[in-house]
């Protein structure tokens, strides 16, 4: 969506919406005084520092500095363009949005260069599903899916399709729609022949499972052959592209996020087929990684939605190992982790087929093991306590993971359990635990940082006062267009000292020239740099009394002028020292006199 939305429509949407209601759909908010607080969706935290102000219709996180209004909240959280955010908020308020022609230069859409790649994938998904459900060429694949328990409703829900066993079907269709060979190759939907002006379809004769981003847009595919083959891999995934990074994608997050926010829990599976199977059993808060181990990007994404996680991986050895690795990673990132264990070597689909959907939902997902209980189960596997080595290795593995990851109550509980299982005394195990904990803390101790010269208290005080003065001055200029015009015309030099505020002053001046004295929200929406937006939010949150606005403005300008003079004094003193080193006594004396004059101007 690249059309310009009329300003009056944007304002209508803004005034018809309460930011508390919108953010409340993503973050659990509690009212404290005039504001609402919750856990920040933009960074991990255990104590709420995310504030939403209904009076000003803004949000601000005191932890990470994120902030903005209802539109920028959705832009940042769901990676939307400004236009998409306005349309989404407008739809919620029952306002139909019509966009005028032309790109809105003041509010740039995000990821526009990649929009054609997304459009190509959306078209391919529609084509594949049409062939599967409506074309004669898709009957064999449809029969195969139906035999495996896929209903038409499931096929439509997960947008499953069929790629014809032809070399150029999708390629020709996309070229007819105006996509170039370069775009075909970049998308990963086609493979370009080296040195030739030709390409062929990557996916041929496969059941196609679309992979969607958080907004439900198709960004990649996983294709499965019918039956088995020694020549071809069972599954073929899209290569990484500008829109698809498999280490960042959580399958089904666009559909699951609503259920996750309601349950405050994520159910994590190994693959997308597990998610689809779990969906038939009513597990709607399910996501999966895309054939990769859990990554830092996955964990960051999960933190935005919930801190309680149930891991449900396959019951084979590889599944146990992957579940242990993922559970330790998530536990170390302050998630509340539980693990649902599948018996035998079953995967979720197999279990549901054998035992039924309700049993899977209530007995497996509904009765997971606590993190440390699972760790003990994992450590016990394939060990015979008749052998001393197995017994000692078991104790070592459990104590190593207990160290630093358990509360005193959990520690006592699991040490007691270890004593019962092994026949050793609780005292002996406790002593070994303390040794393990000591060794672990030594290994994890951070290296001694390089000694940095400490700032003198006076320097820290001056730095803090400069920051306060610039923030308060910008707060007044942001709130009062007349003051902004006056300062711009009266001040012969830039009123701000720090580079960031100088940039904001220039941007705000240009904004006023182009749009007149529009409000703070409109200016905020033009900023793409998150650091600049944070400074604007800090200024917007600053307490200032309109009755004393003139006095505060004068005081801020005077303070900044004094700071500027002090910087000039430091510069001239340094130049004077350099002149002395060069034996230029005349220049050194002249600079010294200038320093004296500048110091007098401070009094």
């Amino acid at each position: 969506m690249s059309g310009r939305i009329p300003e009056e429509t944007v304002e209508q949407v803004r005034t018809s919406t309460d930011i508390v209601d919108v953010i409340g759909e993503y973050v659990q908010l509690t009212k404290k005084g005039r504001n609402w607080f919750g856990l920040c969706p933009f960074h991990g935290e255990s104590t709420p520092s995310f504030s939403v102000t209904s009076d000003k219709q803004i949000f601000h996180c005191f932890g990470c500095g994120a902030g903005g209004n209802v539109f920028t909240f959705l832009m940042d959280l769901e990676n939307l363009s400004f236009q998409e955010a306005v349309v989404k908020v407008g739809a919620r308020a029952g306002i139909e949005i019509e966009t005028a022609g032309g790109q809105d230069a003041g509010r740039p859409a995000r990821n526009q260069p990649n929009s054609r790649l997304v459009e190509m994938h959306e078209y391919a998904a529609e084509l594949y599903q049409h062939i599967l459900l409506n074309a004669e060429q898709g009957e064999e694949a449809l029969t195969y899916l139906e035999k495996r328990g896929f209903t038409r409703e499931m096929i439509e829900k997960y947008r499953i399709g069929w790629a014809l066993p032809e070399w150029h079907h999708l390629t020709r269709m996309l070229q007819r729609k105006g996509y170039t060979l370069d775009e075909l190759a970049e998308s990963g939907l086609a493979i370009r022949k080296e040195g030739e002006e030709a390409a062929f379809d990557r996916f041929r004769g496969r059941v196609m499972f679309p992979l969607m981003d958080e907004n439900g847009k198709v960004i990649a595919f996983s294709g499965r052959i019918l039956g088995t083959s020694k020549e071809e891999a069972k599954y073929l995934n899209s290569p990484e592209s500008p829109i698809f990074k498999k280490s960042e994608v959580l399958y089904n997050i666009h559909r699951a996020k609503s259920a996750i926010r309601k349950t405050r829990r994520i159910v994590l599976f190994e693959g997308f087929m597990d998610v689809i199977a779990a969906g038939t059993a009513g597990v709607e808060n399910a996501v999966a990684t895309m054939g990769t181990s859990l990554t830092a990007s996955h964990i960051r994404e999960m933190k935005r939605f919930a801190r309680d996680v149930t891991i449900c991986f396959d019951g084979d050895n590889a599944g146990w190992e992957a579940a242990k690795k993922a559970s330790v990673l998530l536990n170390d990132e302050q998630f509340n982790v539980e693990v649902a264990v599948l018996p035998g070597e079953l995967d979720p689909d197999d279990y549901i087929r054998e035992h039924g959907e309700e049993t899977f939902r209530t007995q497996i997902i509904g009765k997971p093991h606590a993190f440390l209980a699972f760790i003990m189960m994992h450590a016990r596997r394939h060990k015979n306590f008749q052998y001393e080595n197995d017994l000692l290795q078991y104790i070592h593995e459990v104590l190593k993971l207990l160290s630093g990851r358990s509360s005193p109550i959990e520690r006592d509980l699991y040490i007691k359990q270890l004593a019962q299982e092994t026949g050793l005394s609780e005292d002996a195990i406790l002593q070994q635990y303390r040794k393990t904990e000591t060794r672990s803390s030594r290994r994890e101790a951070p290296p001694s940082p390089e000694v940095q010269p400490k700032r003198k208290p006076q320097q820290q005080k001056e730095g803090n006062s400069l920051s306060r003065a610039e923030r308060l001055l910008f707060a007044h200029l942001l709130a009062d267009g007349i003051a902004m015009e006056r300062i711009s015309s009266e001040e012969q030099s830039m009123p701000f000292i720090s580079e960031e505020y100088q940039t904001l002053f220039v941007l705000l001046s240009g904004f006023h020239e182009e749009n007149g004295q529009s409000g703070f929200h409109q200016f905020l929406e033009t900023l793409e740099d998150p650091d600049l937006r944070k400074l604007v939010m800090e200024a917007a949150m600053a307490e200032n009394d309109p009755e004393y606005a003139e006095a505060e403005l004068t005081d801020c300008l005077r303070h900044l002028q004094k700071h500027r003079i002090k910087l000039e004094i430091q510069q001239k003193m340094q130049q004077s020292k350099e002149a002395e080193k060069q034996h230029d006594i005349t220049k050194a004396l002249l600079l010294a006199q200038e320093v004296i004059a500048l110091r007098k101007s401070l009094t």
Side-chain angles (χ1 to χ4, degrees):
M1 180 183 298
S2 59
R4 181 185 180 96
I5 300 175
E7 191 59 52
E8 56 271 20
T9 304
V10 175
E11 190 60 29
Q12 183 188 3
V13 172
R14 186 185 292 111
T15 55
S16 302
T17 303
D18 187 347
I19 193 172
V20 175
D21 293 337
V22 175
I23 294 182
E25 294 177 3
Y26 297 83
V27 179
Q28 192 171 345
L29 296 173
T30 303
K31 192 170 187 182
K32 294 180 181 178
R34 291 189 303 170
N35 297 341
W36 297 77
F37 288 87
L39 296 175
C40 180
F42 299 106
H43 83 288
E45 61 178 8
S46 55
T47 304
S49 62
F50 181 80
S51 170
V52 184
T53 306
S54 184
D55 294 346
K56 297 181 178 179
Q57 289 294 296
I58 57 176
F59 71 92
H60 179 70
C61 176
F62 295 95
C64 69
N69 62 16
V70 67
F71 300 135
T72 62
F73 176 81
L74 291 177
M75 288 165 69
D76 291 338
L77 192 66
E78 300 193 358
N79 195 30
L80 304 180
S81 68
F82 174 78
Q83 293 87 342
E84 289 168 334
V86 175
V87 169
K88 186 164 186 173
V89 178
R92 187 183 178 282
I95 300 171
E96 189 174 343
I97 307 291
E98 292 184 7
T99 58
Q103 173 70 29
D104 187 346
R107 293 176 173 138
R110 298 185 179 186
N111 298 326
Q112 285 302 309
N114 297 331
S115 63
R116 283 175 64 82
L117 299 183
V118 175
E119 289 166 4
M120 292 167 72
H121 281 80
E122 283 289 325
Y123 174 77
E126 291 172 8
L127 179 64
Y128 291 146
Q129 187 163 83
H130 174 79
I131 294 170
L132 177 67
L133 295 177
N134 303 302
E136 186 178 340
Q137 300 100 311
E139 287 181 0
E140 182 185 0
L142 185 59
T143 301
Y144 166 82
L145 288 169
E146 288 172 345
K147 285 180 179 177
R148 292 204 58 181
F150 284 81
T151 64
R152 188 181 182 96
E153 181 185 0
M154 288 172 63
I155 290 169
E156 291 178 347
K157 178 180 179 180
Y158 294 101
R159 301 182 69 181
I160 301 168
W162 171 248
L164 293 177
E166 297 180 11
W167 287 86
H168 303 100
H169 180 252
L170 178 64
T171 301
R172 289 197 185 106
M173 297 293 284
L174 288 170
Q175 284 181 305
R176 285 176 193 168
K177 293 184 72 66
Y179 296 104
T180 66
L181 284 174
D182 287 340
E183 288 175 321
L184 286 167
E186 187 178 30
S187 72
L189 293 170
I191 299 173
R192 189 170 186 178
K193 296 179 181 179
E194 192 172 347
E196 296 183 31
E197 289 297 307
F200 58 89
D201 294 358
R202 180 179 297 276
F203 300 101
R204 305 177 304 279
R206 290 179 179 269
V207 176
M208 300 299 289
F209 296 89
L211 312 179
M212 274 81 87
D213 65 12
E214 189 187 325
N215 302 313
K217 298 293 185 182
V218 181
I219 55 173
F221 288 93
S222 183
R224 190 198 194 286
I225 60 171
L226 301 182
T228 57
S229 170
K230 291 183 179 179
E231 289 75 31
E232 292 186 281
K234 182 189 289 188
Y235 286 98
L236 175 66
N237 294 333
S238 293
E240 293 208 342
S241 72
I243 60 172
F244 175 57
K245 303 286 186 290
K246 65 181 180 180
S247 64
E248 299 176 2
V249 172
L250 286 172
Y251 179 79
N252 199 50
I253 189 65
H254 69 290
R255 191 179 290 107
K257 59 186 178 182
S258 177
I260 290 169
R261 289 189 177 108
K262 287 178 183 176
T263 60
R264 308 293 293 173
R265 176 172 293 277
I266 297 168
V267 181
L268 179 67
F269 291 95
E270 281 189 275
F272 66 87
M273 291 298 292
D274 300 330
V275 170
I276 294 173
T280 65
V283 182
E284 298 295 335
N285 52 336
V287 300
T289 56
M290 288 309 308
T292 65
S293 299
L294 197 66
T295 66
S297 295
H298 292 140
I299 292 171
R300 277 195 302 272
E301 182 79 354
M302 292 166 67
K303 280 181 179 179
R304 290 174 46 208
F305 298 101
R307 284 308 187 96
D308 293 342
V309 180
T310 299
I311 296 171
C312 184
F313 286 3
D314 294 354
D316 58 10
N317 287 334
W320 274 81
E321 294 304 319
K324 180 197 171 185
K325 185 178 179 181
S327 64
V328 171
L329 278 173
L330 289 167
N331 182 76
D332 288 350
E333 289 290 333
Q334 310 305 311
F335 281 84
N336 301 314
V337 183
E338 295 178 329
V339 183
V341 177
L342 290 165
E345 295 195 350
L346 298 178
D347 61 27
D349 190 31
D350 294 332
Y351 185 92
I352 291 170
R353 288 174 186 276
E354 288 188 22
H355 301 281
E357 297 167 1
E358 184 176 354
T359 304
F360 176 76
R361 186 176 65 254
T362 58
Q363 300 302 312
I364 300 298
I365 301 300
K367 294 182 178 179
H369 299 270
F371 167 68
L372 290 171
F374 168 75
I375 290 299
M376 294 182 74
M377 290 173 64
H378 178 276
R380 272 198 305 271
R381 297 180 81 239
H382 311 309
K383 288 186 176 65
N384 185 342
F385 288 175
Q386 299 298 317
Y387 298 106
E388 183 180 332
N389 282 344
D390 280 8
L391 186 66
L392 293 175
Q393 186 181 353
Y394 171 61
I395 294 170
H396 173 73
E397 287 179 19
V398 173
L399 294 183
K400 185 179 178 182
L401 280 160
L402 271 178
S403 176
R405 293 185 175 92
S406 57
S407 66
I409 293 175
E410 287 175 320
R411 182 197 64 197
D412 288 353
L413 176 68
Y414 289 111
I415 285 177
K416 193 169 290 184
Q417 187 175 327
L418 271 176
Q420 292 171 351
E421 289 178 342
T422 62
L424 300 175
S425 71
E426 290 182 33
D427 286 343
I429 295 174
L430 181 59
Q431 286 180 30
Q432 186 62 34
Y433 168 79
R434 285 172 177 158
K435 289 181 181 178
T436 303
E437 192 171 43
T438 301
R439 285 196 297 268
S440 177
S441 62
R442 283 175 184 166
R443 282 196 303 270
E444 293 173 6
S448 299
E450 293 182 15
V451 178
Q452 298 288 341
K454 291 184 178 180
R455 293 183 70 189
K456 295 178 180 179
Q458 182 62 28
Q459 290 177 320
Q460 291 179 340
K461 184 178 178 182
E462 288 179 3
N464 292 336
S465 64
L466 170 67
S467 177
R468 283 196 300 270
E470 289 193 304
R471 182 167 59 247
L472 185 57
L473 174 60
F474 192 76
H476 281 293
L477 301 185
L478 200 60
D480 188 350
I482 296 174
M484 177 67 193
E485 288 181 6
R486 194 180 84 239
I487 297 297
S488 298
S489 59
E490 289 180 359
E491 288 292 310
Q492 294 181 353
S493 60
M494 166 65 69
F496 292 97
I497 292 170
S498 67
E499 187 177 335
E500 295 83 0
Y501 277 107
Q502 287 181 2
T503 301
L504 282 173
F505 181 75
V506 171
L507 290 173
L508 187 60
S509 298
F511 178 80
H512 276 279
E513 286 179 13
E514 186 175 339
N515 301 283
Q517 294 180 19
S518 296
F520 138 76
H521 287 278
Q522 290 89 336
F523 175 64
L524 184 71
E525 289 153 7
T526 67
L527 300 176
E528 283 217 301
D529 188 327
D531 292 329
L532 293 181
R533 199 186 298 158
K534 286 177 185 178
L535 289 177
V536 172
M537 288 310 305
E538 288 174 2
M541 298 286 287
E543 295 291 335
N544 56 73
D545 191 337
E547 286 187 25
Y548 299 98
E550 191 62 36
E552 286 183 349
L553 274 170
T554 303
D555 189 53
C556 288
L557 290 169
R558 185 185 300 117
H559 184 88
L560 293 174
Q561 180 59 21
K562 280 187 175 182
H563 191 87
R564 193 176 287 107
I565 291 171
K566 288 178 181 179
L567 290 177
E568 192 176 352
I569 289 172
Q570 290 177 5
Q571 184 182 23
K572 289 186 181 297
M573 286 176 67
Q574 184 62 35
Q575 289 173 348
S576 179
K577 287 180 182 179
E578 292 297 324
E580 287 177 10
K581 288 180 183 179
Q582 299 296 323
H583 304 290
D584 190 345
I585 305 302
T586 304
K587 183 177 180 182
L589 288 172
L590 183 62
L591 287 166
Q593 290 172 354
E594 290 177 1
V595 167
I596 293 169
L598 286 170
R599 280 177 174 163
K600 285 183 178 178
S601 70
L602 290 174
T603 58

